[in-house]
């Protein structure tokens, strides 16, 4: 048997030893403690709807299995009761909270969770828990019609039922990556082809998923807090299995039953995104290209000249001196400080790439410092681990050591002090090129590679953010990461790595972004236009039209491919691209509110229909459209020459963004897709805040008026929406320097009311003096605002507002 076969975890399944009986159970302050097979099982009540299971290894519990969880999960005292019964299924101990019931069967052993109404949350199948050496597996019942969501960044359909996945961060286009999947499988399987839309594994590994029980319509969640290589297999007809190759079994089980509540609980445990600086929500221009300083400034100028709004310019690895991180190529960039200051004057933020790999180069300051302080990953023999990345021989900082993170933070702080606004962490799986990463050890040789591989990017992002905060304590940091694990959302956004300039990769990025969003990472985007391969005018335009309606919008392409700047395909295309980018900028107030919401509840910004429409069976498998924020439904164009497409509208009123047609779901519509637009619909009941014009850049933009697009629902109901105004760059908003307005739109018969209620202390840059209501989906003649009638002209009503409450009413 070859080692690769064993790695896939397929052939050794028969040798696992099942845990079959419990010897004793006792009640503890937090739940239960049981003895089984010489180990201890702990059942801890985390919240009324969340329980944690842990089984010791060698009699010991690992209390800190990873860096994922950032709260004390047992801080709250949650009421629960314990009872014991003996019946047909033998002796059984039951733990009950108001939201769930845990059943521990003594002989045979079982560990099940239901809701108080009897609906299943997590019900063990045969061999519910089994071990083999360092590996363990859990098996649970799952019916064929059930759906599975989550697992972060994965290819293929959003619904993971019917497939199996590996969790092991890889540099997807590295030739070694395909070996990860191909082990023990047919080489012809598309999932072994890194350029397919089925490839597995990917850059990010998140062992968290949702199980939708089709019979009851309820959803449950599972998060195994274990960073080791894992395999999730949802292909069995009546069960799923989860196998980890090492570490301890520590699982949080979420009773839900609603998806948003499960995500809120998961992101409470592993953290939520920080509110990003507003410039990072603007358009980002990136390219792997050997730019010179003057080229970068010319690019900045060209965007302004072409009137393409743009906030971020990005520099890839060619800006460095021989790919040495934290350096500038002195020929290409003779005076970076001057360049950075001129770019700042023109309203641009500059982001530089910082890979973890340090050129193995005695005499290079960063390498020397790392060697001197013993901060590099070592091998079993004690030497510095050397991989092959861009600079050739490459050493890797051991980010598991707090002193390494502090040192890296200082290097980052210098970079930020020099005028760089954001840091782009790439190759942080970690990618080691042609060299097997397994020999890379952590903690000065004490910890295996397997324990920290998947956490490497998280630890690097921690160090990077620490440095950004040191350099600019009042600024919101911005980090973009390629790899990740649970908790990465606390520190960084993720882009989805090296895609191809192909239509199927455009389409793939929708369920992939949704999978990340459902797994706590709301700040995501794909390389717009496609990274590898030459894009073409139509693909580029359609990708831009879609990309502007994704959380992170960055145009990026690989070296040696055609230009794909906003203007690269001639004036007709440039006009269409400009309109797309302008739409994004006008929507920034709406987008920003969605990000703030993500930071409060974890709710994804790019979200699949199932998130808000869990009870709609047709919404559960939609991969080719999504909601952008809570209230905009986007249906991109997915093929060349497409002149119309089918769009599924879930329940409710949907108003066509362009022509105002009022549609009602659930149902399918056929939408025209002329070259100047992709189908976009606003949810009835929403109040969508927009800037009246697209500024050149979002950073520092404070308009005097803001539009409120009031989307009139066809039927009675109430819906809330949010506007969040702050300075967009500092952390002052966290201390209350913000104006938050909650709009409650209610329709009762023919009467529509909008109540606006504000909170927050406001902030010095606030200059808004008016709102403009833009009525969509109805044609009232008058709107009464705070008792004063206003005539509606061109569907618009303008009234003075300096950030206070208002009440508006009209009849339709
Ligand atoms: C990796 C990154 C890509 C970057 C390239 C060069 O392939 O994923 O975005 O352009 O390295 O740094």
């Amino acid at each position: 048997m070859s080692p690769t076969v064993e790695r896939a975890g397929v052939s050794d399944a028969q040798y696992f030893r099942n845990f079959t009986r419990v010897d004793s159970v006792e009640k503890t302050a937090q739940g239960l403690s049981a003895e089984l097979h010489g180990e201890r099982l702990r059942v801890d009540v985390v919240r009324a709807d969340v329980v944690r299971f842990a089984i010791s290894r060698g009699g010991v519990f690992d209390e800190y299995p990873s860096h994922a969880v950032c709260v004390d999960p047992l801080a709250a005292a949650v009421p629960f009761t314990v009872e014991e019964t003996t019946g047909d299924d033998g002796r059984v101990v039951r733990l009950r909270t108001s939201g769930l019931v845990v059943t521990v069967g003594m002989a045979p052993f079982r560990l099940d969770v239901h809701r108080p109404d009897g609906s299943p949350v997590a019900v063990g199948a045969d061999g519910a828990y089994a071990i083999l050496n360092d590996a363990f597996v859990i098996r649970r019942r799952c019916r064929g019609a059930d759906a599975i969501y989550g697992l972060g960044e994965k290819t293929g359909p959003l619904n993971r039922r019917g497939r199996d996945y590996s969790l092991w961060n890889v540099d997807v286009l590295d030739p070694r990556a395909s070996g990860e999947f191909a082990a023990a499988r047919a080489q012809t399987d598309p999932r072994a082809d890194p350029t397919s839309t089925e490839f597995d594994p990917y850059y990010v590994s998140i062992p968290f998923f949702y199980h939708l029980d089709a019979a009851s319509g309820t959803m449950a969640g599972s998060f195994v807090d274990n960073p080791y290589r894992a395999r999730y297999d949802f292909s069995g007809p009546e069960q799923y299995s989860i196998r980890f190759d090492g570490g301890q079994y520590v699982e949080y089980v979420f009773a839900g039953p609603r998806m948003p509540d499960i995500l809120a609980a998961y992101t409470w445990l592993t953290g939520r995104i920080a509110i990003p600086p507003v410039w990072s929500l603007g358009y980002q221009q990136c390219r792997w290209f050997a730019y010179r300083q003057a080229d970068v400034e010319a690019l900045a100028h060209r965007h302004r000249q072409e009137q393409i709004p743009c906030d971020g310019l990005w520099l890839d690895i060619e800006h460095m001196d021989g790919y040495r991180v934290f350096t500038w190529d002195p020929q290409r960039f003779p005076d970076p400080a001057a360049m950075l200051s001129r770019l700042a004057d023109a309203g641009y933020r500059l982001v530089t790439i910082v890979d973890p790999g340090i050129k193995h180069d005695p005499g290079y300051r960063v390498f020397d410092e790392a060697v001197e302080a013993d901060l590099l990953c070592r091998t079993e023999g004690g030497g510095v681990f050397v991989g092959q990345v861009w600079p050739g021989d490459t050493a890797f900082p051991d980010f598991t050591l707090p002193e390494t993170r502090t040192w890296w933070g200082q290097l980052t702080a210098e970079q930020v002090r020099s005028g760089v606004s954001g840091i782009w962490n790439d190759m942080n799986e970690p990618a080691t090129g042609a060299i097997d990463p397994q020999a890379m050890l952590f903690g000065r040789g004490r910890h295996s590679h397997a324990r920290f591989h998947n956490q490497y990017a998280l630890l690097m992002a921690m160090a990077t953010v620490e440095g950004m905060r040191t350099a600019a304590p009042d600024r919101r940091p911005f980090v973009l990461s390629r790899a990740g694990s649970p908790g990465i959302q606390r520190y960084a956004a993720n882009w989805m790595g090296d895609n191809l300039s192909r239509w199927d990769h455009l389409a793939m990025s929708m369920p992939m972004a949704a999978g990340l969003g459902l797994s706590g990472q709301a700040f995501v985007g794909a390389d717009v236009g496609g990274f590898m391969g030459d894009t073409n005018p139509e693909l580029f335009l359609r990708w831009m039209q879609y990309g502007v309606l994704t959380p992170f919008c960055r145009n990026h392409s690989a070296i040696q491919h055609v230009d794909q700047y906003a203007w690269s395909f001639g004036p007709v295309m440039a006009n269409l691209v400009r309109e797309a980018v302008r739409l994004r900028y006008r929507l920034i107030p709406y987008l920003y509110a969605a990000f703030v919401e993500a930071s409060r509840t974890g709710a994804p910004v790019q979200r699949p229909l199932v998130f808000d429409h869990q009870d709609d069976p047709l919404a559960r498998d939609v991969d080719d459209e999504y909601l952008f924020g809570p209230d905009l439904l986007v249906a991109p164009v997915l093929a060349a020459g497409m002149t119309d497409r089918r769009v599924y509208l879930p329940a409710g009123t949907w108003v066509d963004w362009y022509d105002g047609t009022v549609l009602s779901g659930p149902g399918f519509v056929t939408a025209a897709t002329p070259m100047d637009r992709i189908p976009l619909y606003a949810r009835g009941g929403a109040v969508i805040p927009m800037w009246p014009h697209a500024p050149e850049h979002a950073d520092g933009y404070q308009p005097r008026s803001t539009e409120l697009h009031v989307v009139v629902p066809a039927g009675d109901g109430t819906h809330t929406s949010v506007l969040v105004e702050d300075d967009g760059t500092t952390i002052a908003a966290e201390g209350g320097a913000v104006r938050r307005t909650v709009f409650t739109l209610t329709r009762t018969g023919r009467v529509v009311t909008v109540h606006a209620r504000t909170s927050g202390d406001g902030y010095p840059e606030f200059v808004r003096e008016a709102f403009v209501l833009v009525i969509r989906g109805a044609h009232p003649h008058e709107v009464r605002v705070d008792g004063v009638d206003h005539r509606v002209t061109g569907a618009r009503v303008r009234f003075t507002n300096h950030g206070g409450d208002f009440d508006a009413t009209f009849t339709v």
Side-chain angles (χ1 to χ4, degrees):
M1 190 192 300
S2 78
T4 47
V5 171
E6 190 188 325
R7 173 181 290 177
V10 175
S11 61
D12 57 6
Q14 57 189 303
Y15 304 114
F16 274 70
R17 284 188 297 116
N18 291 345
F19 278 25
T20 54
R21 62 175 295 124
V22 174
D23 298 318
S24 66
V25 184
E26 65 203 42
K27 190 175 171 196
T28 65
Q30 294 288 349
L32 301 172
S33 173
E35 208 185 321
L36 69 174
H37 295 246
E39 300 288 358
R40 290 212 79 83
L41 158 71
R42 232 164 54 187
V43 177
D44 294 319
V45 178
V46 175
R47 305 180 354 169
D49 59 341
V50 182
V51 65
R52 182 176 71 181
F53 299 142
I55 296 180
S56 62
R57 301 304 297 263
V60 177
F61 282 106
D62 185 350
E63 301 296 349
Y64 195 48
S66 78
H67 293 266
V69 172
C70 61
V71 291
D72 173 2
L74 305 185
V78 185
F80 66 92
T81 58
V82 174
E83 79 210 18
E84 201 179 314
T85 55
T86 306
D88 294 347
D89 45 0
R91 233 179 102 208
V92 163
V93 176
R94 284 206 175 77
L95 177 152
R96 288 177 196 276
T97 71
S98 59
L100 53 78
V101 183
V102 177
T103 306
V104 181
M106 307 284 287
F109 165 58
R110 64 189 181 97
L111 182 60
D112 298 337
V113 186
H114 293 83
R115 293 182 197 86
D117 66 6
S119 57
V121 173
V123 180
D126 284 350
Y129 181 78
I131 61 165
L132 175 64
N133 300 325
D134 286 333
F136 66 85
V137 71
I138 54 177
R139 298 189 182 90
R140 296 235 171 87
R141 284 190 221 158
C142 180
R143 277 176 286 230
D146 293 359
I148 302 285
Y149 302 99
L151 278 196
E153 187 188 49
K154 288 293 173 200
T155 57
L158 180 72
N159 180 354
R160 317 294 191 200
R161 186 79 179 105
R163 300 193 358 144
D164 66 294
Y165 303 88
S166 293
L167 296 187
W168 184 253
N169 294 355
V170 297
D171 176 7
V172 169
L173 290 190
D174 186 294
R176 288 172 47 86
S178 45
E180 285 296 329
F181 179 84
R185 303 174 206 247
Q187 296 289 333
T188 49
D189 191 314
R191 288 187 289 166
D193 170 7
T195 67
S196 81
T197 56
E198 305 275 304
F199 184 70
D200 189 75
Y202 241 67
Y203 307 95
V204 177
S205 297
I206 302 188
F208 166 65
F209 71 95
Y210 306 78
H211 177 184
L212 173 82
D213 176 63
S216 64
T218 57
M219 247 201 251
S222 157
F223 166 47
V224 180
D225 186 7
N226 180 317
Y228 286 78
R229 182 195 292 273
R231 184 160 171 272
Y232 278 69
D233 187 349
F234 301 111
S235 66
E238 291 296 327
Q239 66 167 49
Y240 65 77
S241 68
I242 304 174
R243 172 199 163 118
F244 280 80
D245 281 1
Q248 201 158 92
Y249 169 59
V250 180
E251 183 186 20
Y252 294 84
V253 174
F254 305 83
R258 313 295 303 173
M259 197 175 217
D261 299 329
I262 296 169
L263 183 54
Y266 170 73
T267 53
W268 164 71
L269 280 171
T270 61
R272 302 193 174 119
I273 64 161
I275 300 175
V278 75
W279 65 263
S280 67
L281 306 188
Y283 176 54
Q284 313 292 318
Q285 168 59 46
C286 186
R287 185 186 191 181
W288 179 8
F289 191 78
Y291 289 112
R292 295 172 165 273
Q293 186 172 312
D295 303 329
V296 179
E297 297 193 46
L299 262 187
H301 182 65
R302 183 82 189 261
H303 279 88
R304 298 290 183 254
Q305 197 183 31
E306 299 277 351
Q307 299 183 335
I308 308 284
C310 184
D311 272 83
L313 294 176
W314 292 57
L315 290 181
D316 206 324
I317 50 173
E318 307 297 331
H319 81 278
M320 292 183 271
D321 179 10
Y323 304 128
R324 290 172 186 83
V325 286
F326 302 111
T327 66
W328 293 86
D329 179 314
Q331 260 81 50
R332 293 208 188 100
F333 291 89
D335 193 354
M339 173 190 76
L340 283 160
S341 121
R342 283 192 291 267
L343 289 176
D345 289 346
Y348 286 98
R349 300 290 187 143
L350 190 100
V351 182
T352 53
I353 196 166
V354 179
D355 290 351
I358 299 171
K359 186 174 170 73
H360 192 290
D361 180 22
Y364 159 42
R365 178 199 146 197
V366 176
F367 178 72
D368 289 350
E369 283 180 10
V371 171
E372 171 74 27
D374 193 7
L375 304 176
L376 296 172
C377 291
R378 298 191 160 273
T379 64
E380 195 181 82
V384 167
F385 172 89
V386 181
Q388 284 296 319
V389 200
W390 307 119
D393 288 354
T394 305
F396 292 82
D398 182 350
F399 289 115
T400 70
L401 303 171
E403 57 268 36
T404 307
R405 298 203 292 271
T406 303
W407 166 71
W408 193 263
Q410 282 156 1
L411 292 167
T412 306
E414 281 175 35
Q415 186 92 338
V416 171
R417 283 194 197 101
S418 79
V420 167
S421 297
I423 301 286
W424 170 21
N425 288 165
D426 185 26
M427 311 297 278
N428 49 358
E429 292 70 35
T432 49
I435 310 301
D436 191 329
Q438 299 292 341
M440 178 197 288
L441 302 184
F442 297 95
R444 305 209 163 95
R446 284 193 316 279
H447 299 301
S448 70
H449 186 72
R451 183 179 175 103
F452 286 104
H453 178 90
N454 284 347
Q455 298 188 81
Y456 194 79
L458 172 67
L459 291 161
M460 182 180 182
M462 266 184 205
T464 306
V465 165
E466 187 177 317
M468 298 194 85
R469 290 214 174 105
T470 307
D474 68 329
R475 305 268 136 187
R476 305 176 196 175
F478 175 78
V479 179
L480 181 72
S481 175
R482 190 167 73 175
S485 56
I488 187 71
Q489 70 273 9
R490 305 198 294 267
Y491 304 101
N494 277 101
W495 99 103
M496 293 177 270
D498 297 342
N499 58 10
L500 276 80
S501 299
R502 289 193 330 218
W503 290 98
D504 59 346
H505 275 237
L506 183 166
M508 167 177 83
S509 73
M510 270 182 286
M512 193 178 271
L516 278 160
L518 292 179
S519 308
Q521 178 51 292
F523 203 177
V524 290
D527 285 347
V528 176
F531 176 73
M532 287 286 285
D534 289 340
T535 197
N536 62 69
E538 189 179 1
L539 174 62
F540 178 70
L541 171 66
R542 294 316 201 171
W543 209 322
M544 284 293 287
Q545 289 170 334
Y546 154 55
V548 298
L549 301 173
T550 61
F552 176 64
C553 177
R554 186 185 71 155
N555 176 348
H556 182 41
S557 58
I559 203 156
Q560 287 166 352
H561 292 295
V562 292
D563 285 7
Q564 60 177 43
Y565 301 109
W567 51 81
S568 295
F569 302 101
V572 174
M573 284 293 172
N575 286 342
L576 297 170
V577 169
R578 183 182 305 108
E579 285 315 308
V581 180
R582 284 183 172 165
L583 173 62
R584 179 179 183 86
Y585 273 77
R586 291 195 56 208
L587 282 169
I588 280 182
Y590 167 77
L591 176 59
Y592 188 66
F595 269 92
V596 172
E597 196 55 18
S599 78
R600 292 160 66 106
T601 67
V605 174
Q606 182 169 1
R607 51 175 78 168
L609 301 191
V610 65
F611 187 75
D612 299 281
H613 300 273
Q614 179 176 327
D615 298 327
D616 175 352
L618 283 176
R620 291 176 187 165
D621 284 295
V622 174
D623 285 331
D624 62 355
E625 55 184 79
Y626 63 94
L627 285 158
F628 182 49
D631 298 318
L632 286 176
L633 189 148
V634 186
V637 168
L638 302 169
M642 204 186 228
T643 53
D644 58 34
R645 63 156 286 176
R646 224 161 74 114
V647 180
Y648 180 67
L649 299 174
T653 302
W654 296 95
V655 177
D656 184 299
W657 188 257
Y658 309 98
D659 66 14
T661 308
V662 178
L663 301 161
S664 69
F668 289 91
V669 294
T670 298
T673 57
M675 288 310 273
D676 64 349
R677 64 177 78 158
I678 60 172
L680 179 62
Y681 304 88
R683 191 195 290 275
V687 174
I688 296 178
M690 289 180 79
W691 283 339
H693 308 285
E696 285 186 331
H697 51 88
D699 199 16
Y701 181 62
Q702 295 285 343
R704 297 202 172 264
S705 69
T706 291
E707 292 179 356
L708 301 175
H709 291 246
V710 175
V711 190
V712 178
D716 288 2
T718 295
H719 190 77
T720 57
S721 309
V722 180
L723 167 69
V724 182
E725 295 161 290
D726 60 30
D727 67 23
T729 37
T730 75
I731 57 167
E734 287 171 21
V738 59
R739 178 68 67 197
R740 180 182 169 88
T741 311
V742 177
F743 305 100
T744 306
L745 184 151
T746 305
R747 177 167 181 168
T748 314
R750 296 178 56 204
V751 179
V752 178
T753 58
V754 178
H755 296 300
R757 294 293 172 266
T758 58
S759 57
D761 305 332
Y763 56 103
E765 295 82 359
F766 182 83
V767 292
R768 185 170 56 69
E769 51 203 31
F771 275 134
V772 178
L773 296 187
V774 182
I775 315 290
R776 290 174 174 257
H779 304 281
H781 300 299
E782 278 187 342
V783 176
R784 172 169 283 229
V785 182
D786 293 331
V788 179
D789 289 332
H790 295 257
R791 227 188 148 63
V792 180
T793 322
R796 303 160 79 86
V797 165
R798 184 188 175 92
F799 60 94
T800 302
N801 181 285
H802 293 278
D805 300 351
F806 73 82
D807 296 308
T809 311
F810 56 90
T811 306
V812 294

